[in-house]
Amino acid sequence: MSNPSIAPALHDIAASFRWNAEHVLGDSSLLYQKLAYRVADDADLLALAARAQPHQPPMNLLFGAVHYLLLRATDDPLKNFFPDLARKPNRQDDPFPIFRAFCLENADALAQLISSRRVQTNEVARCALFLPAFEWIARRVAYKPFALLEVGASAGLNLNWDRYAYAYGDGVFCGDAAATIVLTSAVRGARPPLPQTFPRVQTRAGIDLNPMDVFDDDAMLWLRALVWPEQRDRAERLCRAIALAREFPPRVAQGDARAQVAAWARAIPPDTPIVLFHSFVLNQVDAAAREQYYAQLRGLEAERVWFDVAIEPQTWPARLSVTTRTAQTTLALCDHHGRWLEWIEHVAAV
């Protein structure tokens, strides 16, 4: 039962907290699940979450901002409930009263973070989903090297995808066995196309409205804060990916892909296939902006070969799809953090 005192303007945000508690968090963060149910009925905390920029997820920003402040704090009683911050996390007591008090005491700092930061989760485990898509594309272009652009690249950690190794269960392994980062994804049903050697990339770059510098410690702390507190393996993987990116810095430019993709594509030699990829990016803009993005690609020269690889949550579970000039192929159903994929390869005309 929702709180009748919550203003109508906050109802959608309350519903988003409740939906995430029911459908997402129980599988990933029991702490955030408990908090999300309670925030959904708290007018003060909903108003704080409502400071998020348009099309940014208020729940992720509120929890990320709190986590960020706790990562910076030397000590606070709320830390005792966070599995990644406490040696023996408190799982017995109700975390909400302390969480609420922390939010109200730090309301100004949280409001500034929520209103200015973006959810730019750079989850490299999604590369375990991109890899079979890249191989699927490579087979269709006779293994010609392609130009690669990550849209919404954040810190560009996914651009180092071919420096990672991959394990898909049943002894299926791709990449260098000595790689410092091994990404694991369970395969449900048919095995996806996987490479014996990685597809070749002629050039690679990223574009983001607010690119994050891997050498900026505060920016990297924000990425760390966006990892949910029970997911210590994700946090450790992120730290290793940042260390690798500091050794091999990705090239990420500031810009709006909705207006600049076509110019980037036209700078690529005409006989080079183009591959764009993104994950949980287009869900942060409206339908008109998504159409603007794809209209640029359709407006390229007819002989230009391009593929747009997307992991976007328009449905749940997420879908891995590839769009070309003539078709959209749903390659797989997948976990939003890359933990599993189910290869289906369903083609629809566009």
Side-chain angles (χ1 to χ4, degrees):
M1 181 73 68
S2 61
N3 185 344
S5 68
I6 292 174
L10 298 176
H11 285 181
D12 285 348
I13 295 176
S16 73
F17 273 88
R18 196 171 291 108
W19 186 90
N20 276 283
E22 293 173 355
H23 298 282
V24 179
L25 294 170
D27 187 42
S28 303
S29 177
L30 293 178
L31 173 62
Y32 282 178
Q33 183 184 48
K34 291 177 182 178
L35 295 174
Y37 275 123
R38 300 288 292 279
V39 172
D41 288 325
D42 190 293
D44 292 331
L45 298 188
L46 289 173
L48 192 57
R51 299 292 294 271
Q53 299 175 57
H55 305 296
Q56 286 293 300
M59 184 199 77
N60 301 64
L61 282 168
L62 174 63
F63 289 161
V66 168
H67 202 187
Y68 171 86
L69 293 183
L70 290 176
L71 285 164
R72 294 182 59 185
T74 55
D75 191 29
D76 190 280
L78 184 57
K79 279 189 171 184
N80 294 327
F81 294 92
F82 279 66
D84 60 334
L85 302 180
R87 185 170 299 177
K88 293 182 178 180
N90 183 343
R91 295 187 174 91
Q92 305 302 317
D93 298 324
D94 181 2
F96 185 73
I98 296 176
F99 174 83
R100 187 177 193 278
F102 179 89
C103 289
L104 297 181
E105 289 167 10
N106 295 276
D108 290 344
L110 290 171
Q112 192 279 328
L113 288 166
I114 292 166
S115 62
S116 63
R117 302 286 179 118
R118 301 175 67 87
V119 175
Q120 294 176 274
T121 306
N122 215 160
E123 180 47 73
V124 296
R126 291 175 184 155
C127 291
L129 308 175
F130 288 127
L131 179 64
F134 294 159
E135 173 64 13
W136 185 90
I137 291 169
R139 294 179 184 182
R140 280 154 180 77
V141 298
Y143 291 97
K144 290 179 65 174
F146 51 74
L148 190 67
L149 179 71
E150 183 177 14
V151 174
S154 185
L157 304 183
N158 291 341
L159 288 167
N160 279 333
W161 63 273
D162 47 359
R163 299 186 187 279
Y164 308 147
Y166 301 83
Y168 291 94
D170 295 330
V172 179
F173 191 89
C174 301
D176 185 353
T180 58
I181 298 173
V182 179
L183 305 177
T184 300
S185 187
V187 173
R188 299 179 178 179
R191 179 180 295 180
L194 295 170
Q196 292 186 338
T197 58
F198 287 151
R200 292 178 295 161
V201 177
Q202 185 179 96
T203 183
R204 74 186 74 201
I207 186 171
D208 199 285
L209 290 171
N210 298 282
M212 306 184 81
D213 182 354
V214 295
F215 294 100
D216 183 334
D217 290 338
D218 185 70
M220 295 304 96
L221 185 65
W222 176 249
L223 282 185
R224 169 68 182 84
L226 292 172
V227 177
W228 296 344
E230 288 89 346
Q231 298 175 333
R232 283 170 287 192
D233 58 335
R234 284 186 64 206
E236 292 168 4
R237 184 167 58 239
L238 174 65
C239 291
R240 291 197 300 272
I242 291 169
L244 185 67
R246 287 176 171 176
E247 186 178 356
F248 302 98
R251 183 164 58 93
V252 181
Q254 193 281 328
D256 188 340
R258 295 170 294 180
Q260 295 174 244
V261 159
W264 173 83
R266 292 190 175 104
I268 303 298
D271 60 342
T272 301
I274 287 174
V275 177
L276 307 99
F277 72 109
H278 46 93
S279 56
F280 287 71
V281 171
L282 296 186
N283 68 305
Q284 298 186 35
V285 298
D286 59 24
R290 291 194 291 272
E291 172 56 27
Q292 182 183 0
Y293 170 77
Y294 282 110
Q296 288 186 88
L297 296 176
R298 293 193 298 270
L300 295 174
E301 295 77 4
E303 63 272 16
R304 167 64 79 186
V305 176
W306 58 266
F307 303 84
D308 184 82
V309 182
I311 305 170
E312 297 290 353
Q314 275 77 19
T315 61
W316 203 266
R319 291 172 183 259
L320 170 68
S321 65
V322 175
T323 300
T324 65
R325 190 183 302 278
T326 59
Q328 183 178 75
T329 303
T330 299
L331 297 180
L333 306 178
C334 56
D335 171 71
H336 57 297
H337 288 149
R339 291 173 295 186
W340 60 266
L341 74 156
E342 180 181 351
W343 197 259
I344 57 175
E345 199 167 341
H346 174 73
V347 183
V350 296

